[in-house]
Amino acid sequence: MSKSIVIIGGGPGGYTAAIRAAQLGAKVTLIEAEHLGGTCLNKGCIPTKALYRNAQLLKDLDNIEEFGIKIEGHSFDLDAMMQRKQDIVDRLKNGVAQLIKANAIELIHGKASLLSKDTVKVIDSEGNEIILNADNIIIATGSIPSKPPIAGIDSPGVITSDEALSINKIPASMVIVGGGVIGIEFAGIMNALGSQVTVIEFLPRILANMDSEISKKTALSLKKSGIAVEVNTSVTQIMNTGDSLKTIAEGKKGKIEVAAEAVLISTGRAPNVEDLGLDFVGLEYDKKGIKVDEHYQTSIPGVYAIGDVIGGMMLAHVASEEGIAAVEHIMGIQSSINYDAVPACVFSFPELASVGLSEEDAKEKGIDYTSGKFLFGANGKALTIGEAEGFVKVL
Ligand code: FAD
């Protein structure tokens, strides 16, 4: 008899798991509280990359004379940019909806919580209560922006990536609290759109998870394009002074104050475990996420969790792979993920990409290695496209 699986959350983890399960012959119900595609499609990867493309074109236009091309002035229309971004999101969302339909997956729009190891309660978009029973449940509820306990963090004008993706005016100046991937991507976009950007990072370097040589070089590139970068600096307070937001921070250089029109908080994301009934059913989790074993099975056998909600590498393709691995385990297929082979990108200027261990990781693990590096400044293709900054490094 075929297995029945209920999947909570229709992001890249949940919808990929649903499709794989249907392909393997399971009877699948997918529950989504907001929009199919989750954070990635609606408030993450796709909208940021759409705006990144705008930023890239504007930067190219700024440097167009280097290519012997003359253009008399240029400007941009933010509403049209936002509409283009939304059209891309809607088109992809439609594509996901069609895949769900084509694979005969039951889709319920509503908010789900666990009642037991095999029962889920859904309050649907019309307010009706639906009780679902299943052989297995997969939790794929993703993550939400996390805000550190900084005084004044809820002041008007202090935003997260969620709001930054639908602003209707480019602020003259912006402080970005947190120099991780999301903060650095927004720094490049806002800078290209004309905002005076200051990035404040608590750790000794931005992009702390990347190879230190890459993060140092990126900090230099940001500074060269006019972005101020303060590292080893901790924000203590954000004050609304009436005409601006004053960000107060303490660093090695002492106290600094930066006045700006907007403040973006990009200090990380927290697993979305709210109102899921985890305590009610006694499922183990902590602030890093739901605890799972190597097959993505939670502390309750038969209940699985995947993607951002289990913490670790919060990337869309990781969520999808974990969804596939969990489903394959349910369906009796051996499956595992090699986290050392996960590619990661940062859409900064210049773009960054990495896979495998960083030099720091290799040192920490006591691995004997040699390192080779080639500068783009000596690479023909890089020079012809006017992207001579950066390098390839192989360990
Ligand atoms: P999510 O995509 O968060 O989906 C979870 C879904 O569950 C949501 O749709 C939510 O509405 C639903 N849900 C939650 N609770 C319930 C409930 N109780 N009942 C029913 N449904 C529920 N990753 C990349 O790989 N590349 C990138 O370039 C990239 N850029 C990013 C840029 C930004 C600004 C952000 C914020 C993230 C970015 N990410 C990127 C990360 C990526 O978006 C996440 O890793 C990915 O979306 C995680 O997928 P998920 O399926 O685990 O969760």
Side-chain angles (χ1 to χ4, degrees):
M1 213 176 77
S2 85
K3 287 228 175 204
S4 59
I5 306 177
V6 164
I7 300 171
I8 307 176
Y15 79 71
T16 308
I19 292 168
R20 184 69 184 131
Q23 286 170 344
L24 292 173
K27 178 181 170 295
V28 190
T29 304
L30 178 65
I31 306 156
E32 171 50 53
E34 287 182 35
H35 302 287
L36 271 182
T39 303
C40 178
L41 197 38
N42 299 284
K43 302 177 198 164
C45 329
I46 303 303
T48 47
K49 267 80 262 181
L51 294 178
Y52 176 84
R53 177 68 180 139
N54 288 102
Q56 202 177 35
L57 287 170
L58 284 168
K59 281 175 96 77
D60 282 350
L61 284 172
D62 288 342
N63 299 325
I64 202 85
E65 290 206 0
E66 181 193 322
F67 294 84
I69 299 169
K70 288 206 185 300
I71 293 178
E72 293 299 321
H74 58 267
S75 60
F76 65 85
D77 175 346
L78 184 62
D79 290 344
M81 285 181 179
M82 290 294 181
Q83 190 55 55
R84 174 180 177 273
K85 176 209 73 173
Q86 197 52 46
D87 290 347
I88 296 167
V89 168
D90 290 344
R91 181 174 173 160
L92 290 170
K93 220 164 20 184
N94 253 329
V96 175
Q98 274 169 25
L99 284 174
I100 297 298
K101 207 169 153 192
N103 282 282
I105 295 161
E106 182 190 17
L107 174 65
I108 301 178
H109 288 283
K111 199 162 166 53
S113 58
L114 299 186
L115 291 181
S116 74
K117 68 172 184 43
D118 49 18
T119 316
V120 169
K121 178 175 90 179
V122 186
I123 305 295
D124 76 8
S125 38
E126 264 108 57
N128 305 311
E129 185 177 298
I130 303 166
I131 303 293
L132 300 166
N133 293 301
D135 297 317
N136 295 95
I137 297 169
I138 301 178
I139 303 170
T141 50
S143 62
I144 48 173
S146 72
K147 287 189 185 175
I150 297 170
I153 200 157
D154 291 320
S155 307
V158 182
I159 56 175
T160 68
S161 59
D162 286 358
E163 297 80 40
L165 287 167
S166 46
I167 45 172
N168 51 22
K169 176 182 169 283
I170 300 300
S173 49
M174 179 179 257
V175 165
I176 298 183
V177 184
V181 178
I182 294 175
I184 296 307
E185 288 191 356
F186 273 106
I189 293 169
M190 298 310 292
N191 169 262
L193 296 178
S195 198
Q196 176 60 53
V197 178
T198 304
V199 177
I200 304 181
E201 169 57 53
F202 166 75
L203 294 170
R205 60 184 173 100
I206 58 163
L207 301 172
N209 290 336
M210 294 211 91
D211 195 283
S212 70
E213 216 176 334
I214 294 175
S215 81
K216 277 183 206 143
K217 185 86 182 77
T218 308
L220 287 177
S221 299
L222 295 185
K223 286 177 189 165
K224 220 166 84 186
S225 43
I227 298 169
V229 180
E230 302 287 346
V231 291
N232 278 312
T233 306
S234 165
V235 173
T236 52
Q237 196 181 356
I238 301 164
M239 276 170 65
N240 195 329
T241 61
D243 38 58
S244 74
L245 286 162
K246 197 197 294 177
T247 302
I248 303 168
E250 290 281 347
K252 278 196 172 157
K253 293 183 248 165
K255 185 172 164 181
I256 60 162
E257 291 185 1
V258 188
E261 204 178 311
V263 175
L264 172 70
I265 305 293
S266 54
T267 47
R269 295 183 60 85
N272 183 11
V273 291
E274 220 173 282
D275 302 329
L276 266 178
L278 301 188
D279 294 320
F280 181 72
V281 295
L283 192 145
E284 278 178 36
Y285 68 99
D286 62 19
K287 63 179 183 1
K288 287 191 196 146
I290 293 178
K291 294 190 182 223
V292 292
D293 66 11
E294 72 273 29
H295 303 298
Y296 306 98
Q297 194 153 207
T298 66
S299 59
I300 301 180
V303 178
Y304 291 69
I306 53 139
D308 281 12
V309 78
I310 64 168
M313 288 176 159
M314 288 191 177
L315 291 168
H317 43 294
V318 171
S320 300
E321 280 300 310
E322 290 173 350
I324 292 169
V327 163
E328 290 184 347
H329 189 254
I330 291 171
M331 303 303 280
I333 300 170
Q334 274 309 316
S335 178
S336 67
I337 296 175
N338 175 4
Y339 287 94
D340 283 340
V342 175
C345 305
V346 185
F347 289 83
S348 50
F349 296 96
E351 288 177 4
L352 314 174
S354 69
V355 65
L357 300 181
S358 67
E359 192 157 359
E360 290 70 38
D361 292 336
K363 278 191 184 128
E364 206 180 290
K365 288 178 189 266
I367 296 171
D368 193 18
Y369 68 93
T370 50
S371 159
K373 201 162 102 179
F374 193 88
L375 300 179
F376 286 157
N379 177 282
K381 174 71 175 167
L383 290 176
T384 57
I385 62 170
E387 294 285 349
E389 214 178 327
F391 54 85
V392 175
K393 177 175 171 180
V394 180
L395 297 183

